[in-house]
Amino acid sequence: MNWGIIALLLLLSLASANCVWSLGKVMLFPQESDTAYVQLTPKKPLNFQAFTLCMRMSSELNSNRETILFAYRTSQADELNVWRELGGYSLYLRSSDDGVTFNLPPLTAVPTHLCVTWESSTGATAFWVNGRRSMLKIYRRGFSLTPNGAIILGQDADSYLGGFEKKQSFVGEITDVHMWDMVLGAGQIKQMYEDQCRSPNGNVLDWNSLQYKISGNVVEVSGPAA
Ligand code: CA
Ligand code: CA
């Protein structure tokens, strides 16, 4: 084997499929709107009793108003919402007035890697910011998610794929959205933040092989991932 072939094999082994594909897709929401959103198609129904949801995001909206980060809604209810609110990051499971909020630093123009983990058996809930876990809080012990809703980025739905409010919309960049039907370990979440080339792919949402549909003014940007 000559040095050229060895070098090529080395390059191929370093450039894992994950890394190549994660260079491809950033969803940019350039301005406030009540029309721009991306609907994500999950690989399996959201009928589970635990999850890990991760995303990489940049936004300058900060603390001026509440901002939707992730919305999963059935025709009946807001089933799983993640918000940036005045007091921090919040998770709401089938409720609009009884969420759990964690006092954490706001998003900035430089990407933040954000995860939220929850498990029904204990209710243990945590946010993870750039690989570091918040304190645990107990929320919705014994709860199960209901399947057959719509997952969207960019807007908070108050009906099925509708009822959007401009003042709740997301403005900024979202990429690397992954979701699992289990709670990942601390090491896996830390690795996802530190090395996206070797991070695990979600078994419910996998940004690297995602089916999605863009509506309104969302710009899909290709380029070096942050
Ligand atoms: Ca709303
Ligand atoms: Ca809503």
Side-chain angles (χ1 to χ4, degrees), residues 73 78 81 156-158:
R73 194 192 152 88
D78 284 329
N81 277 7
D156 169 51
D158 288 338

Side-chain angles (χ1 to χ4, degrees), residues 117 125-129 131-136 186:
T117 53
T125 307
F127 275 81
W128 301 71
V129 178
R132 295 182 66 195
R133 180 172 72 71
S134 71
M135 62 183 279
L136 292 167

Side-chain angles (χ1 to χ4, degrees), residues 4 20 32 56 59-60 66-67 95 113 130 143 155 157 162 210 223:
V20 170
E32 277 189 347
R56 213 177 285 268
S59 177
E60 292 187 325
E66 60 190 16
T67 303
S95 172
H113 187 256
N130 293 336
F143 180 80
Q155 300 289 340
L210 192 63

Side-chain angles (χ1 to χ4, degrees), residues 26-99:
V26 172
M27 296 297 176
L28 173 61
F29 299 80
Q31 62 193 56
E32 277 189 347
S33 83
D34 56 6
T35 52
Y37 68 93
V38 183
Q39 183 178 0
L40 311 182
T41 303
K43 297 208 267 189
K44 56 165 81 175
L46 273 67
N47 60 347
F48 27 83
Q49 280 116 43
F51 65 81
T52 301
L53 171 65
C54 296
M55 312 177 259
R56 213 177 285 268
M57 285 173 298
S58 320
S59 177
E60 292 187 325
L61 286 173
N62 286 332
S63 308
N64 303 327
R65 62 166 173 82
E66 60 190 16
T67 303
I68 190 71
L69 304 180
F70 182 94
Y72 169 62
R73 194 192 152 88
T74 64
S75 55
Q76 303 297 315
D78 284 329
E79 195 68 12
L80 193 177
N81 277 7
V82 181
W83 291 90
R84 175 69 209 186
E85 295 185 297
L86 306 190
Y89 296 106
S90 306
L91 172 68
Y92 291 83
L93 296 176
R94 203 179 303 158
S95 172
S96 55
D97 55 8
D98 184 22

Side-chain angles (χ1 to χ4, degrees), residues 201-223:
N201 293 328
N203 69 345
V204 179
L205 294 172
D206 173 1
W207 193 251
N208 302 313
S209 63
L210 192 63
Q211 285 186 45
Y212 59 95
K213 182 169 169 273
I214 291 178
S215 298
N217 186 16
V218 183
V219 184
E220 186 179 347
V221 183
S222 300

